Amino acid sequence: MLNVFTLANGRLFQEEIESLEELTRFKPIWVDLESPTPEERRWVRQHFGLSIPEDAMDEDIEESARFFEEDNGELHIRSDFLIDDEDKPRSVRVAFILNQQNAELNSHGVLFSIHDEDVPVFRLLRLRARRMPGLIADAKDVLLSLFDTDAEYCADTVEDIYDELDEVSRQVLAGDVTDNMAGEVLAAIARHQDMAGRIRRNVMDTRRAVSFMMRTRMLGAEQFEDARQILRDLDSLDSHTAFLFDKINFLMDATVGFININQNKIIKIFSVASVALLPPTLIASIYGMNFQYMPELSQTWGYPAALCLMVASAVGPMLYFRKRGWLK
């Protein structure tokens, strides 16, 4: 899918392109390619003079492979954007290309973004740019606004985790934690910890991208200040995610503690039962020796008496343990 975005009266408007002729009718500031076909890549190359690298969305982590400037003046940024999907949370790699120097090409001053799937941050920016005139002035504003919206998206995800952890806290701190409930709580905590880790990684990646833009001196004075504000927002997110990890660790330790208490209760019952069965075992052992001069062996009441004695020796300790509260 190939979408172009143009400015009209300070608002960002979107057009879906289905042919090369249609592409030539617009003068966009942003061209977004979602899972581009070879034909769409050819359109971009013919009209804008821009060749999209085949490895544009590789998973390299080295800064030199993700943030660099070509000899022809093309600025390349590869950044990750978070997708808060309940079933499959993930990050999507997006490749940005911006030509700032070669004014002879139609790509001059146009931001190109390439990615494999729809990104929520992109949808949020499109809605905001349509409703807020003057938010976007050029391609660099688009790029900064995407990173700014990504920081807000991460902040909203952190708030959602806070709300869900509050519910988990009420369940755990209520005290009566069964094994089934503990399993559900641990599964929820694991999901939140994974998401918090993804948020922190995404924040780190966005900080690197914004810092690279500031180092290249591509930003104007107002845009530079906007970039500094984005970095401050990212720093505050770091503090929130650190608190999240502390709370998650506390809830996990508390849940594991309740699991240990439940296991100790079971072990206590087995221990008490084994102690209670020791006297009958002793009596059975004595009467199983079959001594020649054991008076009870010649009595008709000897066997019933031994059975009654074994039952009494088992019930007696159990009643004592119950009275002491050891079986609760």
Side-chain angles (χ1 to χ4, degrees):
M1 182 182 299
L2 194 157
N3 293 302
V4 298
F5 297 86
T6 58
L7 278 178
N9 299 322
R11 299 177 186 270
L12 197 65
F13 289 92
Q14 176 181 350
E15 297 288 345
E16 186 172 339
I17 302 301
E18 297 182 355
S19 67
L20 177 60
E21 292 74 17
E22 191 176 2
L23 180 62
T24 58
R25 296 204 306 264
F26 298 98
K27 293 183 178 180
I29 65 167
W30 178 21
V31 177
D32 182 49
L33 297 98
E34 179 183 337
S35 299
T37 64
E39 187 178 23
E40 290 171 341
R41 289 172 179 263
R42 180 174 56 82
W43 297 345
V44 171
R45 184 172 61 254
Q46 290 181 0
H47 180 63
F48 293 104
L50 178 74
S51 296
I52 300 175
E54 294 295 333
D55 61 347
M57 290 165 287
D58 280 357
E59 296 296 326
D60 294 324
I61 61 174
E62 297 86 359
E63 185 168 359
S64 60
R66 300 181 62 182
F67 313 106
F68 59 93
E69 188 172 0
E70 295 281 11
D71 294 336
N72 59 6
E74 290 178 358
L75 194 71
H76 291 255
I77 296 177
R78 298 174 182 176
S79 187
D80 295 332
F81 287 82
L82 182 69
I83 296 182
D84 182 15
D85 189 335
E86 184 175 352
D87 297 327
K88 188 182 177 182
R90 59 198 180 278
S91 294
V92 175
R93 174 64 53 84
V94 180
F96 296 103
I97 304 175
L98 179 61
N99 171 24
Q100 297 189 101
Q101 297 183 11
N102 196 343
E104 298 177 357
L105 298 177
N106 291 329
S107 62
H108 182 261
V110 180
L111 175 68
F112 295 85
S113 56
I114 307 98
H115 49 98
D116 288 331
E117 58 180 304
D118 189 26
V119 181
V121 168
F122 284 38
R123 296 197 304 267
L124 291 174
L125 177 62
R126 292 196 296 263
L127 291 173
R128 183 175 300 175
R130 281 201 298 265
R131 297 172 180 173
M132 299 174 60
L135 178 66
I136 303 296
D138 56 22
K140 292 179 287 186
D141 279 341
V142 173
L143 191 53
L144 276 177
S145 297
L146 283 173
F147 289 133
D148 185 30
T149 307
D150 186 45
E152 294 183 11
Y153 183 79
C154 289
D156 292 340
T157 306
V158 168
E159 291 179 0
D160 292 339
I161 296 177
Y162 272 130
D163 295 338
E164 294 176 9
L165 284 180
D166 285 340
E167 179 62 27
V168 173
S169 298
R170 284 192 290 270
Q171 291 178 330
V172 173
L173 300 181
D176 188 16
V177 179
T178 63
D179 289 344
N180 290 335
M181 181 187 296
E184 295 175 359
V185 167
L186 287 177
I189 290 175
R191 288 195 303 270
H192 297 324
Q193 188 173 35
D194 175 70
M195 179 55 72
R198 292 179 183 277
I199 291 173
R200 173 161 285 190
R201 181 181 182 277
N202 192 77
V203 166
M204 178 184 66
D205 183 82
T206 304
R207 181 185 291 110
R208 293 170 64 189
V210 174
S211 298
F212 173 75
M213 293 177 64
M214 297 172 70
R215 290 196 305 271
T216 57
R217 303 181 185 277
M218 59 179 286
L219 304 176
E222 187 175 350
Q223 291 171 336
F224 192 87
E225 184 58 34
D226 291 339
R228 292 180 60 185
Q229 181 59 48
I230 294 174
L231 292 180
R232 286 192 288 266
D233 293 340
L234 295 175
D235 290 338
S236 67
L237 275 176
D238 270 340
S239 302
H240 284 291
T241 52
F243 174 76
L244 272 182
F245 280 118
D246 291 340
K247 186 169 185 177
I248 287 172
N249 290 333
F250 165 74
L251 291 175
M252 186 171 293
D253 292 340
T255 304
V256 172
F258 280 115
I259 293 175
N260 292 333
I261 291 174
N262 292 338
Q263 292 178 343
N264 290 337
K265 289 179 181 179
I266 297 173
I267 294 174
K268 182 177 69 174
I269 292 174
F270 280 113
S271 300
V272 171
S274 62
V275 172
L277 293 176
L278 284 177
T281 303
L282 177 62
I283 296 171
S285 300
I286 293 175
Y287 281 92
M289 296 178 185
N290 297 323
F291 292 122
Q292 181 178 0
Y293 299 104
M294 185 175 287
E296 292 84 354
L297 293 178
S298 59
Q299 302 294 331
T300 57
W301 49 265
Y303 181 67
L307 291 178
C308 292
L309 185 59
M310 284 188 282
V311 172
S313 63
V315 173
M318 294 296 289
L319 294 176
Y320 176 75
F321 295 152
R322 177 180 286 276
K323 184 178 180 181
R324 295 295 302 270
W326 294 349
L327 299 180
K328 295 181 180 179

